[in-house]
Amino acid sequence: MDNTEITIHDIAEILGINSSTVSRALNNSPRVAQKTKDKILEKATELGYQRNDLASNLRKSKTFTLGVIVPRISRHFFASAIAGIEETAFKEGYNVIICQSLESLEREQRIINTLLANRVDGVLISISMETKNDDHLLGLKQRNIPYVFFDRHCNTSINSKVVIDDFEAAFRATEHLIQQKSTVIAHFSGPQNLEIYKNRFKGYKAALEKYSIPFKEELVISSSLMEHDGNENVKKMLSLPYKVNGLFCANDVVAIGAIQYLKKVQIKIPDDIAIVGFSNETISSVIEPALTTINQSGLEIGTVATNLLINKISNATNKNINETIIVKTNLIERKSSLRKVN
């Protein structure tokens, strides 16, 4: 007999015992005598019986599976978040299905449908750059499947999310440039339909205002924040009639692209232009010069978001209670911004 086909009915027939007794024994029910349990477990092991958890969970209307949607698995932040998610989920007895939207709303919508088809108990999502609202999450709402945003989120008060204070972190990054004697500061921003980039822009602008530095709209250049965007953005920046001496980037990837181009055209970093990035990608500490950046712990955010989601799944009264948890960040100062300031 093929081991994968062994059922409780096979064990019951071989032992001449009722199949319901076999089921109770395999579930360690106190209704079955220990001697009978031992006999059943020994035969189950001998035959290579494997419990069908999926079928069991479906009967309980629960699959102990979480769906996770991130823009790109290759990004250090999201890889760290996934590590936190998986470790926390595993400890709580959940499996994880990991999907990436690759910054596509259409792909994100299809992933949601796939997760619904797989009957996940809950979803953790960091939205794509194309996502403007949570309309595509209606299927989750209709089936009462809880979901939690982490990092990138939709601007609505009726959803739970685990985020950082993007405004405060961006303010601190820009203030650091000002303290390093930068007086004309450009900002490489992400799409303004996303709350995180909107708030980073607001933090940048607020820091300029605090120190009475005129805001110049032309110095804010938006893009999808890829490395090649760093090259193109710098070209635009250098063509403007301003002598830029500071640059705050909404992520490290675009900052690294900017550094590479500035070095190519022999503009000195940080002497000519001091640079600060955001998210502390692994490469940020090894590029030359090493990149000053805002450190946000993907591991902590993933862990906190998973605990929040599992709590919503486990406690029916919490499913419709929405909570925002803010995880702290810190500025890591490196060579790309540190001038000799008197």
Side-chain angles (χ1 to χ4, degrees):
M1 186 180 291
D2 187 339
N3 287 347
T4 59
E5 296 178 356
I6 293 294
T7 69
I8 59 172
H9 303 291
D10 298 322
I11 298 168
E13 185 178 344
I14 291 168
L15 293 176
I17 298 174
N18 190 289
S19 59
S20 61
T21 302
V22 174
S23 178
R24 291 191 192 103
L26 293 173
N27 284 289
N28 199 27
S29 170
R31 294 172 61 186
V32 181
Q34 190 59 50
K35 185 177 179 181
T36 305
K37 275 186 193 176
D38 293 341
K39 182 178 172 183
I40 291 169
L41 289 170
E42 183 180 349
K43 182 57 68 174
T45 302
E46 177 191 325
L47 296 173
Y49 168 78
Q50 289 189 327
R51 178 189 175 98
N52 188 339
D53 286 328
L54 178 59
S56 175
N57 290 334
L58 287 174
R59 283 194 294 273
K60 299 173 188 173
S61 298
K62 199 169 181 182
T63 62
F64 286 92
T65 304
L66 305 179
V68 180
I69 309 172
V70 297
R72 291 185 186 277
I73 294 171
S74 59
R75 291 283 169 84
H76 172 68
F77 170 78
F78 291 117
S80 298
I82 287 168
I85 290 166
E86 283 200 308
E87 183 62 24
T88 307
F90 181 79
K91 286 177 182 175
E92 296 295 329
Y94 284 82
N95 296 310
V96 175
I97 300 173
I98 299 167
C99 312
Q100 55 179 345
S101 66
L102 298 178
E103 305 292 9
S104 164
L105 173 58
E106 181 186 356
R107 186 172 173 124
E108 195 168 274
Q109 291 169 327
R110 289 170 60 187
I111 289 168
I112 293 292
N113 291 334
T114 299
L115 294 177
L116 283 168
N118 279 275
R119 301 183 65 170
V120 296
D121 295 330
V123 174
L124 293 160
I125 179 169
S126 189
I127 61 174
S128 78
M129 284 194 177
E130 292 182 356
T131 304
K132 293 180 171 62
N133 55 52
D134 62 349
D135 291 351
H136 60 308
L137 303 180
L138 182 61
L140 296 174
K141 294 177 184 177
Q142 289 173 334
R143 299 196 195 182
N144 203 26
I145 297 173
Y147 57 92
V148 171
F149 291 111
F150 67 100
D151 188 46
R152 298 188 195 171
H153 58 280
C154 293
N155 183 26
T156 168
S157 60
I158 59 170
N159 293 308
S160 290
K161 54 187 177 291
V162 178
V163 295
I164 63 169
D165 188 335
D166 287 287
F167 176 92
E168 189 273 337
F171 182 96
R172 203 179 336 143
T174 309
E175 183 177 56
H176 169 73
L177 288 169
I178 295 167
Q179 291 167 346
Q180 295 299 308
K181 304 301 182 186
S182 292
T183 53
V184 182
I185 303 171
H187 175 42
F188 289 176
S189 176
Q192 291 299 292
N193 59 289
L194 290 180
E195 290 301 303
I196 63 169
Y197 299 126
K198 193 184 294 182
N199 289 329
R200 289 174 197 180
F201 164 67
K202 288 178 180 176
Y204 153 80
K205 196 174 179 182
L208 297 183
E209 186 177 339
K210 178 183 175 180
Y211 290 90
S212 301
I213 295 174
F215 168 71
K216 297 179 174 64
E217 193 173 339
E218 310 94 293
L219 290 177
V220 179
I221 302 172
S222 294
S223 69
S224 58
L225 300 177
M226 301 296 284
E227 195 170 307
H228 64 84
D229 293 314
N231 280 256
E232 297 306 310
N233 291 357
V234 167
K235 291 176 187 176
K236 291 177 187 175
M237 181 185 77
L238 295 177
S239 70
L240 296 171
Y242 307 110
K243 187 171 175 52
V244 175
N245 55 13
L247 172 60
F248 166 50
C249 297
N251 77 6
D252 283 358
V253 177
V254 77
I256 289 165
I259 287 173
Q260 291 173 333
Y261 185 83
L262 288 169
K263 286 169 68 176
K264 184 178 171 183
V265 296
Q266 298 185 327
I267 291 177
K268 295 177 182 177
I269 307 166
D271 297 349
D272 297 331
I273 299 180
I275 302 176
V276 177
F278 205 111
S279 71
N280 194 27
E281 294 285 331
T282 306
I283 193 174
S284 303
S285 62
V286 295
I287 192 172
E288 180 56 40
L291 179 63
T292 294
T293 186
I294 294 291
N295 180 48
Q296 53 177 344
S297 173
L299 187 72
E300 183 180 358
I301 289 172
T303 300
V304 172
T306 308
N307 280 324
L308 177 57
L309 180 62
I310 291 174
N311 186 40
K312 287 171 79 73
I313 293 168
S314 303
N315 190 340
T317 59
N318 283 351
K319 279 191 177 183
N320 297 317
I321 296 175
N322 299 296
E323 186 176 353
T324 296
I325 299 174
I326 298 174
V327 175
K328 290 183 178 180
T329 62
N330 62 290
L331 178 72
I332 299 176
E333 298 180 6
R334 298 189 181 118
K335 290 182 180 178
S336 71
S337 67
L338 296 175
R339 296 187 175 116
K340 294 176 182 177
V341 178
N342 294 326

